[in-house]
């Protein structure tokens, strides 16, 4: 804006700034605002601000700029009745304040021909999309629920989702496993699309298993309505779709980027002919047209009716779906699967960390052009580190010298990038992105976050200490509130959204959010919930709990053989109990979760739980096997939960507790108790998956009997103490 203002101030007195123009071609209206018009010279100008030499601007970028200028040229000729016009592109370097003007003379006729040719091209696609939308809305209006009847609780959920869309409100629905939450939310929101003129439905999830359930639900709907004109896409992160992760994303490095926009129309046409754009299908189409699968997916998200993806695509600061929603003024309905996960995921999105050890390595081998800014940042960082008296401390803010030096580094790297045709070192690029994220959060820093610094141990044989600086989000509400406001309706659903005020406060839900607590389709007799209060799983008592725990698990298994999972607070505790159990019950088959399991190992772990198998699985609470897994029937008949699930007691969590206390007056509950019990309930929910299942859950710790804990357990549970204890 400052650059445009500078250019305009250099023009003559009769110069017209920001000229609004509009015109029609057939049933298409084209409007915009040209940067300037000089009547005395009959010259229209389109100004582009740049950093660096004009010669670095790629030819394909210039073509787009010329196209915009020529469209404005025709609209101006039509408005003023001009026979010809000089059209100028003015590239203004914001650093040197120099202008590079490019001028072409055009007749009104040539400009009109250009305008009409691109309008025809646009209408060819737009008319097809309009027809698709009309067919889609007609089909969704007539769409019937794909099953003969709703499950217990499912109708109430579906009706509430439809009502929320009709009223343009947010809905938070706590609904137990087994009622069909996925199809119970997708179906009514699709039904609401025609009436509420929803452009898109976003189904957002924290894990891949949630995405699979979404596609299964949509496949079920399609099976009941063959030929349903509904485009669905699986949106993934770039690292999961990139064909050449060792190459930079431009034509001089990657063949799939070179000529991408030349081949995109054909690839887009091919992709739009498929109702379900899964990643394998997108990849197949992309490679057939020699374009990047990731960027084809980003493009097709604009033309899909349902987008299935991770939370970050909408809720992250740079989330593509949120940006597209704002830019295109879409009316969207957002479904947030397993919404209890959104708190921690959002905290991670709005947390930034800088590692001094990584910075030292980069500095030692950096490009000469970066030496001065890196040295300045090194000095500012070293001062901060030397002031550290312990392993961890909270900072009131980031010193101005450090912030200024960090900004200088990002500016210098950006300038280096402009002239680096083959990209730059991957580690330097990562630090650059980390620094940009850090700077961005620094600008919005407030009581919703905290700044801390931790010191790592000294490298052997040196006196050097390295620190890690972190802007850590505590309350994501201020960042998420604009996301909820951008959607026509948002439905958050999970089996654990209790207590309501905890989620409303931390997520920043609108004040008029509707809350629904769906009755469970299960009977208390299906699940035996036993409190084992004679054992403590606190850290100090763990060694004395090993033998009794192993005996408890073994006794239950011998009385009722089947598949069980025992959950623990850490891998160390898991390993200790598993070792004692194996020694005492060598005849019982066991399976162990281990640190950093590959996806194939996780699948193999679950595949051992068959209807005919027997044994004990040892897992960590809050890990891969504590939620979002489905082991119905005799694949899982019981769970032992040997922990209250509380986050570890450490300086970070204690500071978060203090921040929560200041914000909500319930620091311990918000930082420890509510997140812990949520994990317990999620893990216990693996046992009863259908109305026919039977099983048991042992809650092992003396604190499980406390009233404030019992109140957080599901209403349909009938909790009993272990006999004689």
């Amino acid at each position: 804006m400052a650059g445009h203002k500078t250019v305009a101030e250099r023009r003559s007195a009769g110069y017209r700034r920001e000229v609004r123009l509009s015109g029609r071609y057939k049933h298409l209206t084209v409007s915009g605002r040209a940067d300037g018009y000089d009547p005395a010279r009959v010259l229209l100008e389109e100004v582009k601000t740049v950093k660096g030499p004009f010669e670095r601007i790629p030819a394909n970028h210039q073509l787009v700029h010329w196209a915009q200028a020529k469209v404005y040229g025709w609209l101006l000729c039509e408005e003023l009745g001009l026979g010809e016009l000089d059209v100028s592109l003015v590239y203004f370097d914001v650093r040197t304040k120099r202008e590079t003007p490019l001028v072409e003379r055009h007749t009104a006729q040539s400009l009109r021909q250009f305008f009409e040719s691109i309008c025809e091209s646009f209408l060819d696609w737009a008319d097809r999309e309009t027809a698709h939308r009309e067919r889609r809305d007609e089909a969704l209006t007539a769409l019937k629920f794909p099953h003969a009847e709703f499950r217990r609780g499912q109708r109430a959920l579906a009706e509430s989702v439809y009502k929320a869309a009709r009223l343009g409100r947010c809905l938070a629905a706590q609904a137990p496993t087994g009622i069909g939450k996925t199809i119970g939310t997708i179906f009514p929101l699709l039904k609401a699309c025609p009436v509420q003129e929803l452009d898109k439905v976003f189904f957002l999830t924290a894990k891949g298993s949630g995405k699979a359930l979404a596609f299964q639900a949509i496949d079920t709907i399609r099976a009941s309505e063959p030929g349903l004109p509904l485009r669905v896409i699986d949106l993934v992160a770039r690292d999961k779709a990139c064909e050449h992760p060792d190459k930079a994303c431009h034509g001089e490095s990657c063949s799939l980027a070179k000529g991408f926009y030349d081949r995109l129309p054909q690839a887009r046409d091919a992709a739009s002919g498929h109702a379900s754009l899964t990643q394998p299908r997108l990849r197949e189409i992309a490679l057939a047209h020699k374009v990047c699968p990731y960027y084809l997916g980003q493009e097709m998200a604009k033309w899909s009716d349902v987008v299935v993806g991770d939370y970050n695509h909408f809720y992250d600061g740079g989330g593509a779906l949120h940006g597209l929603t704002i830019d295109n003024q879409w009316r969207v309905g957002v479904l947030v699967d397993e919404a209890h996960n959104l708190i921690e995921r959002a905290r991670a999105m709005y947390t930034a960390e800088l590692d001094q050890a990584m910075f030292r390595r980069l500095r030692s081998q950096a490009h000469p052009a970066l030496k001065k800014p890196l040295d300045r940042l090194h000095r500012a960082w070293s001062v901060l580190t030397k002031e550290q008296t312990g392993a961890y401390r909270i900072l009131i803010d980031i010193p101005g010298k450090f912030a200024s030096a960090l900004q200088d580094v990002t500016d210098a790297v950006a300038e280096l990038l402009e002239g680096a045709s083959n990209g730059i070192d991957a580690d330097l690029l990562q630090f650059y992105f980390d620094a940009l994220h850090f700077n961005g959060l620094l600008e919005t820093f407030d009581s919703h976050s905290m700044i801390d610094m931790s010191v790592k141990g000294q490298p052997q044989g040196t006196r050097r200490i390295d620190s890690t600086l972190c802007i850590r989000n505590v309350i994501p509400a201020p960042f998420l509130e604009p996301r909820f406001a951008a959607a026509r309706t948002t439905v958050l659903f999970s089996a654990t959204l209790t207590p309501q005020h905890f989620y409303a406060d931390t997520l920043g839900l609108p004040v008029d959010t509707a809350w629904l607590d769906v009755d469970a389709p299960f009977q208390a007799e299906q699940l035996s919930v036993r409190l084992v209060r004679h054992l403590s799983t606190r850290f100090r008592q763990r060694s004395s709990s090993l033998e009794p725990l192993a005996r408890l698990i073994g006794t239950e298994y011998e009385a009722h053989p089947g598949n069980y999972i025992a959950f623990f607070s850490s891998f160390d505790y898991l390993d200790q109990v598993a070792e004692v159990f194996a020694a005492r019950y060598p005849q019982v088959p066991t399976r162990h979760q281990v640190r950093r399991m590959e996806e194939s190992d996780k699948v193999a772990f679950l595949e051992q739980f068959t209807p005919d198998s027997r044994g004990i699985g040892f897992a960590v609470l809050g890990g891969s096997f504590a939620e979002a897994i489905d082991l119905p029937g005799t694949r899982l008949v019981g769970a032992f939960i040997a922990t209250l699930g509380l986050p570890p007691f450490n300086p970070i969590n204690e500071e978060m507790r203090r921040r929560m206390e200041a914000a909500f007056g319930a620091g311990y509950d918000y930082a420890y108790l509510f997140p812990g019990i949520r994990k317990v309930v999620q893990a216990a929910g693996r046992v009863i998956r259908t109305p026919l299942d039977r099983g048991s859950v042992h809650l092992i710790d003396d604190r499980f009997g406390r009233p404030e804990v019992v109140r957080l357990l599901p209403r349909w549970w009938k909790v009993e103490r272990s006999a004689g204890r």
Side-chain angles (χ1 to χ4, degrees):
M1 292 172 66
H4 281 70
K5 182 180 179 182
T6 300
V7 172
E9 288 173 347
R10 294 175 176 178
R11 301 302 186 253
S12 61
Y15 187 80
R16 293 173 55 192
R17 294 175 54 184
E18 298 185 349
V19 182
R20 293 184 178 276
L21 297 165
S22 181
R24 287 185 62 82
Y25 176 75
K26 295 184 177 178
H27 49 289
L28 178 66
T29 300
V30 181
S31 62
R33 190 165 52 188
D35 290 321
Y37 174 58
D38 187 342
R41 299 168 60 193
V42 195
L43 172 73
L44 179 136
E45 291 186 319
E46 181 61 25
V47 180
K48 299 298 178 186
T49 53
V50 298
K51 288 182 180 179
F54 161 75
E55 293 74 21
R56 289 183 184 173
I57 302 171
N60 61 333
H61 289 198
Q62 292 185 49
L63 284 173
V64 175
H65 301 157
W66 274 119
Q68 181 184 11
K70 287 158 71 175
V71 166
Y72 287 148
W74 162 245
L75 296 178
L76 186 67
C77 286
E78 185 179 38
E79 180 178 302
L80 300 181
L82 301 175
E84 61 181 10
L85 176 72
D86 282 339
V87 179
S88 176
L89 269 182
V90 180
Y91 288 101
F92 178 76
D93 190 325
V94 296
R95 289 176 177 165
T96 65
K97 311 301 181 187
R98 290 179 56 186
E99 296 180 31
T100 302
L102 307 177
V103 183
E104 293 181 355
R105 173 156 291 194
H106 290 276
T107 65
Q109 182 62 22
S110 67
L111 290 173
R112 177 177 181 172
Q113 289 173 351
F114 176 79
F115 173 77
E116 292 182 351
S117 69
I118 62 172
C119 285
E120 279 291 346
S121 178
F122 181 83
L123 280 174
D124 178 56
W125 175 260
D127 286 345
R128 280 186 284 158
E129 286 304 294
T130 301
H132 166 77
R133 175 66 173 265
E134 291 172 350
R135 291 194 304 271
R136 184 204 77 169
D137 286 352
E138 183 180 356
L140 292 180
T141 300
L143 188 65
K144 304 294 184 185
F145 191 64
H147 299 300
E149 58 185 22
F150 287 94
R151 296 182 189 177
R152 180 182 172 186
Q154 195 178 41
R155 177 181 287 278
L157 174 62
E159 289 176 349
S160 296
V161 171
Y162 187 87
K163 185 177 180 180
R166 180 171 59 83
L167 298 176
R169 293 175 62 183
C170 184
L171 168 69
Q174 178 170 273
T177 298
I179 71 164
K181 292 191 292 290
T182 305
I183 201 166
T185 52
I186 290 177
F187 171 77
L189 201 50
L190 289 177
K191 287 289 292 181
C193 283
V195 179
Q196 299 306 316
E197 299 181 347
L198 296 183
D199 299 295
K200 314 280 178 189
V201 170
F202 299 153
F203 187 97
L204 307 176
T205 182
K207 298 182 179 180
S209 55
K211 294 172 72 173
L213 289 173
F215 273 93
Q216 289 173 17
I218 292 169
D219 286 344
T220 299
I221 292 172
R222 286 191 199 283
S224 70
E225 189 67 35
L228 179 67
L230 191 74
R231 291 191 200 133
V232 185
I233 188 171
D234 179 11
L235 203 60
V236 301
R238 191 176 70 173
D239 60 354
K240 293 184 179 179
C242 180
E243 288 291 309
H244 304 294
D246 58 322
K247 294 179 172 58
C249 290
H250 56 71
E252 294 180 18
S253 178
C254 179
S255 61
L256 297 179
K258 188 176 181 63
F260 175 83
Y261 290 101
D262 297 327
R263 296 187 293 274
L264 178 61
Q266 294 76 28
R268 183 172 53 207
D269 279 348
S272 66
H274 292 268
S276 186
L277 291 172
T278 60
Q279 275 309 297
R281 184 162 292 163
L282 260 175
R283 180 176 183 269
E284 179 185 345
I285 296 168
L287 296 184
H289 290 83
K290 298 181 181 178
V291 298
C292 171
Y294 171 72
Y295 283 104
L296 177 60
Q298 293 285 300
E299 172 69 16
M300 292 312 299
K302 303 173 188 176
W303 311 108
S304 296
D305 305 298
V306 181
V307 181
V308 180
D310 189 271
Y311 292 161
N312 69 292
H313 292 302
F314 189 76
Y315 290 108
D316 187 81
L321 292 181
H322 178 258
L324 288 169
T325 298
I326 299 300
D327 290 345
N328 295 287
Q329 299 180 324
W330 287 339
R331 286 168 67 91
V332 301
V334 180
L335 298 174
V336 184
D337 177 44
E338 300 292 353
H340 61 274
N341 287 306
L342 185 55
I343 297 174
E344 289 304 322
R345 287 292 306 279
R347 281 175 175 160
M349 293 173 202
Y350 296 100
T351 291
E353 190 173 270
L354 295 177
D355 186 327
Q356 192 175 19
M358 177 185 181
F359 172 73
R360 286 184 190 276
R361 291 194 301 272
L362 295 175
R363 179 170 168 262
S364 66
Q365 55 195 24
H367 191 280
L370 301 177
K371 186 178 187 313
K372 285 187 178 180
L374 289 176
D375 285 350
R376 186 181 170 210
L377 180 59
H378 167 67
R379 290 192 296 272
W381 204 333
S382 296
V383 169
L384 269 178
T385 303
K386 287 175 182 176
E387 292 173 351
Q388 188 89 347
T389 57
Y392 179 83
R393 69 166 166 150
I394 301 294
L395 302 181
I396 297 174
D397 57 21
I398 291 292
K401 286 187 177 180
F402 182 95
S404 175
L406 187 64
Q407 183 64 58
D408 286 348
V409 168
T410 58
D411 288 346
V413 175
E415 192 167 355
L416 184 65
L417 278 168
E418 289 171 8
S421 60
N422 291 317
I424 61 175
D425 176 75
D427 289 338
L428 177 59
L429 194 62
Q430 184 59 55
F431 183 80
Y432 172 64
F433 289 143
D434 291 343
L436 286 177
H437 187 36
F438 195 94
N439 275 338
L441 291 179
L442 204 54
E443 291 176 3
T444 60
F445 182 74
D446 208 333
S447 58
H448 50 63
S449 300
M450 64 189 201
I451 302 174
D452 57 40
M453 190 165 88
S454 54
V455 172
K456 300 177 181 178
Q458 290 182 195
Q460 192 168 4
T462 74
R463 293 174 140 192
R464 194 180 75 224
I465 332 173
D466 288 326
S467 65
T468 300
L469 270 171
C470 185
I471 298 178
R472 194 182 307 276
N473 180 248
V474 179
I475 305 169
F479 296 106
L480 300 184
E481 285 167 356
R483 267 54 181 173
F484 293 126
R488 167 66 181 174
T489 182
T490 301
V491 178
L492 304 98
F493 58 98
S494 167
T496 48
L497 287 180
T498 300
Q500 294 177 3
H501 59 84
F502 170 64
Y503 291 94
D505 290 342
T506 52
L507 294 176
L509 300 182
V511 292
D512 64 347
T513 295
W515 291 84
L516 175 69
D517 192 355
V518 179
D519 289 335
F522 313 124
Q523 303 299 320
E525 292 73 24
Q526 290 181 246
L527 183 68
S528 172
V529 182
R530 304 173 197 168
L531 302 185
V532 182
R533 301 181 61 192
H534 69 286
L535 290 177
S536 170
T537 62
R538 295 175 179 85
F539 184 78
R540 292 180 180 178
Q541 284 85 44
R542 281 183 189 167
S543 59
S544 61
S545 72
L546 303 181
E547 274 288 346
L549 255 176
R551 188 166 57 250
L552 171 67
I553 296 170
T555 300
E556 178 69 16
Y557 178 85
E558 289 177 339
H560 307 283
N563 291 307
Y564 294 82
I565 298 182
F567 294 100
F568 302 89
S569 56
S570 68
F571 282 103
D572 288 341
Y573 197 17
L574 179 159
D575 293 339
Q576 292 169 17
V577 176
E579 183 179 355
V580 173
F581 183 86
R584 190 178 182 95
Y585 301 95
Q587 75 282 6
V588 179
T590 59
R591 309 120 190 185
H592 299 189
Q593 180 183 0
V594 298
R595 294 173 176 84
R596 294 178 289 278
M597 290 179 81
E598 297 290 338
E599 195 61 37
S600 57
D601 296 327
K602 294 177 185 178
V603 172
F605 180 91
L606 293 175
E607 285 178 344
Q608 296 179 73
F609 292 81
T610 70
D612 301 317
S613 67
R614 302 286 185 271
I616 310 293
F618 289 84
V620 172
L621 191 71
S624 302
F625 308 114
E627 63 176 272
I629 64 167
D630 198 23
L631 298 171
T634 57
R635 292 185 66 190
L636 187 68
V637 299
F640 303 91
I641 303 176
T643 171
L644 213 63
L646 306 182
F649 182 85
N650 58 36
I652 294 175
N653 285 331
E654 274 298 278
E655 182 61 24
M656 292 184 75
R657 178 188 62 78
R658 285 189 283 269
R659 301 291 174 115
M660 294 286 201
E661 184 68 33
F664 309 119
Y668 175 79
D669 289 348
Y670 276 53
Y672 291 102
L673 183 61
F674 297 158
I677 299 305
R678 178 188 67 213
K679 289 188 285 187
V680 169
V681 174
Q682 281 288 329
R686 302 312 97 202
V687 178
I688 302 298
R689 310 296 293 175
T690 77
L692 300 178
D693 290 354
R694 296 288 186 274
S696 65
V697 170
H698 288 74
L699 303 179
I700 307 165
D701 192 278
D702 57 301
R703 291 166 291 179
F704 273 118
R706 294 177 179 176
E708 64 270 23
V709 173
V710 173
R711 280 196 296 269
L712 297 173
L713 301 178
R715 291 178 304 166
W716 69 274
W717 285 8
K718 182 181 179 182
V719 180
E720 56 192 62
R721 297 185 182 185
S722 292
R725 293 166 183 161

